[in-house]
Amino acid sequence: MADEAVAEHPAEPAAPKAKDARSPEAPRGGARGDDNAKDAPDAPGSSDASDAADAEAAEREKERERAADRFKDRTRDPLAEEQGEEEPTDAAAATRARRSGQKLLASGRDLIGFDRSDVGRLHIGDINIGLDARRSGLSMRDGPVPEEELLRIRRTHIEPEGYVRLRRALEARRLLVLGGAPGTGRASTALALLEEVTRGGEGGQNSERVRRADPEEGVRGLATQVVDGRGGHPRGTGYLLEPALDRPGTLPPDGMDLDQLASALAQQGSYAVVVVSVGSAANPLLAGRYGAICPPAPTRELVAVRLRQRLEEEHGDPVRVGGGDGDGDGGSARYGDGDGGSGLGGHADRDRDTDQDRDRHSDRGRDGGRDRDESRTWDGGLGGHTDRNRHADRGQDSGRREGRTRDTARDTDRYGAGSLSRLLERAAELREDPEVTEAVGLDDLRPAEAELFASLLAGHLLGSVSREELLSGCRGLAAVQAYEWFAGVDRALAAPPPGDGRAPVRSGTAALFHPVAFRIALAVLGGASHSAVSAAAHLLTWELSVQSDPDSTPARPLFCDDPESDLALSRARPDNGPVDVAGAEVTGRLIFYRGTALPAAVLAELWDRHFPVRAPVVRWLRLLADDPRPQVSMRAAVAAGELSVRDFEHGYAELVRPLAEAPTPRRRVFAATALDQAAGHASHRRAVRKVVEDWSRHGTPALRWTAAMALGYGRSADSMDDTLDALARIGVRDDGEQLAVASLNLVRLLTLPECATVLRRLADWTGHHGEEYQDLALVSIVRLALTDVDEVLDDEPGTPLGDRGDWPLLLALAATRPELTGKLADLFWTALNTARSRDVAFDALETLLRSASRKDGSEWTREGLAALLPALTAEEHDRRRLDWLLRRMMRDQDRPLTEERARALWRLAVPARQRRSEEEESHG
């Protein structure tokens, strides 16, 4: 078509053809025809037309313009009410953040299903674990370490990496400040060091050569005790001290205090290890010349050794009882076979010092007078709280061996000769069982956890622990960790100030609560940036401090944070990953728990057991609801939903309902997301659906808006038809006041498997006699063309829609659901041919056409356009309209469409046999 013809083309496309000319799938109701008849322009008036007719025509034109403006307003983003008119909301980032939060809190365990009473006393098979917060710290009192415990340390302690360096530092300076996170084996390593250096020293013959020092007296008190000889402790004594540095008002020892203690120890030929937790209070000590970080215990090796010990205790040693077949695995009396115990099949060398002296004094060898067979004994201790009740006296080897002989005879009948080797093979397979791994939910185990895990595996292999009990015990590991993190955290606030003569510092509640706040923030925001989690933790620290001491202003140093200490104390790990910033992805430092089970366990422990903490946590979550970053607000909403599941009455009254009535869309989205998260639990789905149903019928405008957002997730009504009915009620009420948010959530429903039902209902509404229903359908159709997939899709990449995240949803559906293409084309054709929606629909069509290829020329949505355009231009009138639009795009001064791309789009839409000569000339 020549340029002159283009110039003569009308500014608007030709009037739409009759409705009956469409495909059989086109909606039947007369609404589109009625609307076009109502809005059709008058024929040009004759020269003798009356002034009244002209005035009437002008009024109709103004009414058409007002209707088009109202329609355009309804297609704007309902989430952008508090932003600039042209500023888009980052719905895609919000969707990704919600999906990430749900993934972290859905580790295969329903939070409502864990019985909290199990944490107080866990009994699995013959494994009995007692946990009581009131016992915390009572085991570390002033007094000698029993010889039996030292013997157990000698036999069972597995040296962490760098152990020799720590021993040499202790021998050289007499004093070692050993830092690490609680539960990582610090105290066991300290006792092993003291046992070793004192055994060959001046106090080697003393049965009380290793002592625990009173933590209340601290470093200064211990120095005075050593110098004065209080208690009559002999020379060469080793002291283990765990000072209470976390108590508010307590000043940590300084360098001079440590020098004084080291000098006193040297005078007495003694040694001391001061065990501290990493953190702002202890970091100056660890940075000094006496400080050292204690590497975590090699728990994989520990599991292997403990498991082998446990199996040998129950199964017996075939060589010793005459039942072995000489396969080496069952008959070896050694634990080491050269592989270092890297797995369950590896026999970790627990007595390395015989073959690898590593510059130790010859008289300090661990194996001088020790029977190798005794190294297999184990009392199953779990940090002092596990009572196996098996061997009251480790020295009674004869009685124990007789029992083993009887047990082995029984097991030999059961398993046959050499069965220990097969048991170890089965144990290796069981440990890697995906169901067991998921039940544990921890990336790495700490010593006490490794011992319990080994006991559970051994018990299951030997028949004393069922599969269900095994999985239950594995799930309890994360719950026990959460219990220990929170039990009695602020008990130190009730303790008297230090009695060392120094003035206490200002109340330290903020420093005391920060590690706890960080763990809670990480449970809520896991997977977000480290800075976001840290900032949220500081907000929560403030709330906890004010709740605990409302008469004081919390004080927290600004330059004492240690990110590495936060990670260590919270079993967290950093990782580089994408962070959404202003609609773009940048690489940032993310942070996660070292285990999928920990976030849910922390939230369950927090909400079920510590009721006074609920008030500050609720205030904190409300603050997070206002955060403009989706990575914060959406993750917090998911966590709020999980907390509401724990206690729906409290969660609804304190979080969901107040935020659902808030004036800002961000808070209402938070409430809707929390409701949907609760609806994901079968135990609460009925209650959530009742709430949403009531809000959609009888709620205030704010509550109806929130109900619409909850319905858009697809789980807040009994069926898809019920969901559509509720959204229609919300959208058409009060002259379409909530039509925008209703249409947005209709589009979100189109990403679900029942999208065909949604399309059928939209088609019905286009033929409805009520204009509000027509507008709801038309706005939804236009929004469908303007919404990208990743703004509304919950699926991970890897699905047909998920792999097209930056596609317009209309084209993505046309490409991936070919059976829906006809319905999609009919609906969009209706929007293009209805007067009040025509302008917006044409702008949307232009956007779709421009998305065929990217700026660099690579293919983008061409596949979707190839499916949609032929169905959209089935008639001559439709092809003329497309021809006109392509020419307009080619003449666009700001973004002209190249001739090559215009030809490619024309060929996608119109088969060669249907192209006219003038169109061929223009579009190729």
Side-chain angles (χ1 to χ4, degrees):
M1 193 178 294
D3 290 341
E4 290 80 10
V6 173
E8 295 173 359
H9 200 284
E12 291 291 333
K17 66 182 182 65
K19 174 183 61 178
D20 293 340
R22 286 298 289 163
S23 70
E25 294 182 275
R28 308 288 182 183
R32 185 171 67 245
D34 292 345
D35 182 70
N36 287 330
K38 177 180 67 176
D39 292 337
D42 294 334
S46 60
S47 57
D48 58 352
S50 64
D51 293 339
D54 291 340
E56 184 178 354
E59 183 62 28
R60 284 198 300 269
E61 181 64 26
K62 291 180 181 180
E63 177 58 30
R64 281 198 304 273
E65 294 176 357
R66 286 193 292 266
D69 290 340
R70 286 195 302 270
F71 187 90
K72 186 174 183 179
D73 287 338
R74 289 170 172 174
T75 62
R76 291 197 174 106
D77 189 351
L79 306 180
E81 294 178 14
E82 56 189 13
Q83 303 184 23
E85 181 177 343
E86 301 300 328
E87 181 178 355
T89 55
D90 199 353
T95 301
R96 286 190 290 269
R98 173 178 173 267
R99 185 168 62 233
S100 176
Q102 289 180 319
K103 185 177 179 180
L104 289 178
L105 290 174
S107 57
R109 61 198 75 213
D110 190 337
L111 284 182
I112 205 68
F114 187 81
D115 184 1
R116 279 297 294 111
S117 63
D118 287 350
V119 176
R121 171 67 59 177
L122 183 62
H123 183 81
I124 301 172
D126 62 350
I127 303 170
N128 191 17
I129 306 168
L131 295 171
D132 190 343
R134 293 170 296 180
R135 298 173 61 182
S136 178
L138 294 182
S139 60
M140 291 301 297
R141 308 284 26 169
D142 188 13
V145 177
E147 184 68 22
E148 292 80 5
E149 184 172 351
L150 295 180
L151 180 61
R152 181 183 68 84
I153 291 292
R154 290 175 59 187
R155 292 171 173 170
T156 65
H157 182 257
I158 297 178
E159 299 172 0
E161 182 180 358
Y163 178 87
V164 174
R165 176 180 54 82
L166 297 176
R167 176 180 57 78
R168 289 174 177 170
L170 178 59
E171 290 175 336
R173 298 189 178 94
R174 301 279 176 170
L175 174 62
L176 181 66
V177 179
L178 197 60
T184 56
R186 305 168 306 166
S188 295
T189 298
L191 286 175
L193 289 167
L194 291 171
E195 192 279 333
E196 184 173 350
V197 298
T198 58
R199 182 165 20 107
E202 300 180 41
Q205 303 303 317
N206 179 18
S207 61
E208 298 183 355
R209 66 179 185 276
V210 179
R211 303 184 62 87
R212 290 188 173 96
D214 188 352
E216 302 294 335
E217 294 188 4
V219 170
R220 283 191 170 185
L222 178 58
T224 303
Q225 178 182 348
V226 173
V227 170
D228 297 344
R230 268 191 288 135
H233 305 159
R235 293 175 59 83
T237 299
Y239 298 92
L240 173 62
L241 172 64
E242 294 192 47
L245 299 182
D246 59 349
R247 174 176 295 176
T250 299
L251 290 176
D254 53 29
M256 294 184 62
D257 296 331
L258 296 177
D259 288 339
Q260 180 182 2
L261 176 57
S263 176
L265 292 168
Q267 293 175 11
Q268 296 294 322
S270 299
Y271 303 89
V273 177
V274 180
V275 175
V276 296
S277 294
V278 292
S280 58
N283 284 349
L285 303 179
L286 297 173
R289 59 177 174 173
Y290 301 104
I293 296 296
C294 180
T299 52
R300 184 171 182 84
E301 181 179 350
L302 182 61
V303 170
V305 172
R306 295 296 185 268
L307 181 57
R308 185 179 181 88
Q309 287 178 324
R310 179 74 170 85
L311 291 175
E312 288 187 344
E313 284 180 0
E314 295 294 335
H315 180 270
D317 190 334
V319 168
R320 281 186 289 155
V321 300
D325 58 0
D327 63 0
D329 214 32
S332 173
R334 291 178 56 85
Y335 281 100
D337 62 359
D339 65 356
S342 61
L344 288 177
H347 307 163
D349 188 355
R350 306 179 48 77
D351 306 305
R352 307 176 198 177
D353 301 299
T354 301
D355 300 322
Q356 303 174 7
D357 184 69
R358 292 175 301 188
D359 299 329
R360 298 184 187 178
H361 298 296
S362 59
D363 59 343
R364 294 186 182 179
R366 292 187 176 187
D367 303 305
R370 188 191 318 167
D371 182 357
R372 289 276 185 177
D373 293 335
E374 291 180 352
S375 68
R376 296 192 182 95
T377 61
W378 174 53
D379 65 353
L382 180 60
H385 297 281
T386 303
D387 181 13
R388 301 285 305 164
N389 296 323
R390 293 187 179 277
H391 311 299
D393 185 357
R394 290 183 176 270
Q396 299 177 357
D397 291 334
S398 60
R400 182 165 66 248
R401 291 181 180 180
E402 291 176 3
R404 285 181 178 175
T405 301
R406 291 192 297 268
D407 291 342
T408 302
R410 178 195 64 205
D411 293 333
T412 300
D413 292 339
R414 179 179 176 186
Y415 296 109
S419 61
L420 178 59
S421 176
R422 289 193 292 275
L423 281 175
L424 289 172
E425 292 175 0
R426 291 175 54 199
E429 296 174 359
L430 182 61
R431 181 178 179 179
E432 302 301 329
D433 186 319
E435 192 174 9
V436 173
T437 301
E438 182 183 11
V440 172
L442 299 172
D443 292 351
D444 45 50
L445 299 179
R446 292 184 169 178
E449 297 164 349
E451 298 216 11
L452 177 58
F453 183 49
S455 295
L456 290 168
L457 292 176
H460 180 64
L461 291 172
L462 295 171
S464 61
V465 175
S466 67
R467 175 84 175 182
E468 182 179 353
E469 290 174 328
L470 169 65
L471 297 178
S472 177
C474 291
R475 293 187 184 100
L477 294 176
V480 171
Q481 173 64 94
Y483 176 88
E484 293 174 350
W485 273 342
F486 290 98
V489 167
D490 54 353
R491 186 180 295 113
L493 293 175
D500 55 7
R502 292 179 292 180
V505 298
R506 190 177 181 182
S507 174
T509 55
L512 179 68
F513 286 129
H514 179 70
V516 176
F518 191 88
R519 292 164 188 152
I520 298 172
L522 184 56
V524 171
L525 303 179
S529 65
H530 195 168
S531 61
V533 175
S534 182
H538 282 293
L539 285 177
L540 182 56
T541 299
W542 176 277
E543 295 293 344
L544 294 174
S545 301
V546 170
Q547 185 77 12
S548 176
D549 187 8
D551 296 329
S552 301
T553 301
R556 179 162 176 78
L558 300 180
F559 298 98
C560 291
D561 273 3
D562 181 5
E564 298 305 319
S565 297
D566 288 340
L567 295 178
L569 293 174
S570 301
R571 299 183 74 163
R573 62 175 178 86
D575 194 10
N576 292 330
V579 178
D580 290 294
V581 180
E585 285 191 355
V586 297
T587 300
R589 189 173 190 253
L590 311 182
I591 184 172
F592 301 85
Y593 267 117
R594 298 185 64 86
T596 57
L598 287 172
V602 167
L603 294 183
E605 171 69 22
L606 175 75
W607 218 242
D608 289 353
R609 197 171 182 87
H610 305 281
F611 292 98
V613 179
R614 289 188 176 188
V617 169
V618 165
R619 294 195 299 269
W620 174 67
L621 288 173
R622 290 180 179 179
L623 291 174
L624 298 187
D626 293 325
D627 196 294
R629 295 168 295 180
Q631 64 164 324
V632 174
S633 58
M634 293 303 290
R635 283 182 170 88
V638 171
E642 291 294 336
L643 294 177
S644 298
V645 171
R646 308 298 303 180
D647 186 346
F648 193 73
E649 177 188 15
H650 186 271
Y652 177 80
E654 298 295 329
L655 278 171
V656 175
R657 179 63 185 254
L659 294 179
E661 294 184 301
T664 61
R666 187 174 287 121
R667 285 196 160 200
R668 298 199 293 266
V669 169
F670 184 100
T673 304
L675 271 179
D676 174 73
Q677 188 67 20
H681 294 261
S683 56
H684 288 68
R685 193 167 297 140
R686 182 177 178 182
V688 171
R689 290 174 176 176
K690 180 64 166 60
V691 168
V692 173
E693 173 75 9
D694 289 345
W695 287 358
S696 69
R697 291 182 180 276
H698 314 297
T700 62
L703 290 179
R704 295 200 304 274
W705 194 100
T706 305
M709 290 301 301
L711 289 164
Y713 290 115
R715 297 192 293 195
S716 296
D718 292 334
S719 66
M720 181 58 72
D721 285 329
D722 291 337
T723 300
L724 296 172
D725 290 341
L727 285 172
R729 279 196 304 271
I730 295 170
V732 304
R733 183 171 170 178
D734 299 335
D735 296 327
E737 179 184 0
Q738 308 286 355
L739 190 146
V741 69
S743 67
L744 171 63
N745 289 283
L746 285 167
V747 172
R748 292 170 64 197
L749 294 175
L750 287 168
T751 63
L752 301 179
E754 303 94 332
C755 61
T757 303
V758 182
L759 293 177
R760 284 196 297 271
R761 187 66 68 90
L762 290 176
D764 292 343
W765 289 339
T766 60
H768 199 283
H769 292 291
E771 187 173 307
E772 294 83 4
Y773 282 93
Q774 298 173 24
D775 282 351
L776 178 60
L778 292 170
V779 170
S780 300
I781 295 165
V782 172
R783 196 180 297 281
L784 173 63
L786 297 174
T787 301
D788 288 346
V789 171
D790 57 7
E791 296 181 41
V792 292
L793 182 68
D794 286 335
D795 292 350
E796 294 278 359
T799 63
L801 283 180
D803 289 339
R804 295 169 172 81
D806 60 348
W807 284 37
L809 181 57
L810 176 61
L811 296 181
L813 288 173
T816 60
R817 301 287 300 273
E819 73 278 10
L820 302 178
T821 302
K823 296 183 177 65
L824 292 168
D826 284 344
L827 289 170
F828 196 54
W829 184 93
T830 303
L832 289 169
N833 287 278
T834 302
R836 59 182 180 272
S837 61
R838 181 183 302 147
D839 291 345
V840 180
F842 262 90
D843 290 341
L845 178 58
E846 180 176 342
T847 301
L848 296 179
L849 294 173
R850 291 186 182 277
S851 71
S853 57
R854 303 183 189 275
K855 292 182 179 180
D856 60 2
S858 60
E859 188 172 302
W860 188 1
T861 65
R862 178 184 174 88
E863 179 187 2
L865 287 168
L868 181 69
L869 289 180
L872 193 62
T873 58
E875 303 295 336
E876 176 65 22
H877 169 80
D878 304 323
R879 291 192 291 273
R880 290 181 58 196
R881 180 169 51 199
L882 177 63
D883 173 61
W884 171 83
L885 180 58
L886 289 173
R887 294 165 189 263
R888 190 182 75 172
M889 293 169 62
M890 293 171 64
R891 301 201 325 263
D892 190 320
Q893 296 183 359
D894 295 327
R895 292 191 306 161
L897 185 69
T898 65
E899 182 177 349
E900 180 183 0
R901 292 190 178 184
R903 288 177 178 176
L905 291 170
W906 179 253
R907 290 168 179 167
L908 283 180
V910 182
R913 65 179 182 277
Q914 296 178 352
R915 299 173 195 159
R916 296 183 301 164
S917 58
E918 63 268 25
E919 291 166 344
E920 285 288 330
E921 177 185 349
S922 191
H923 300 302

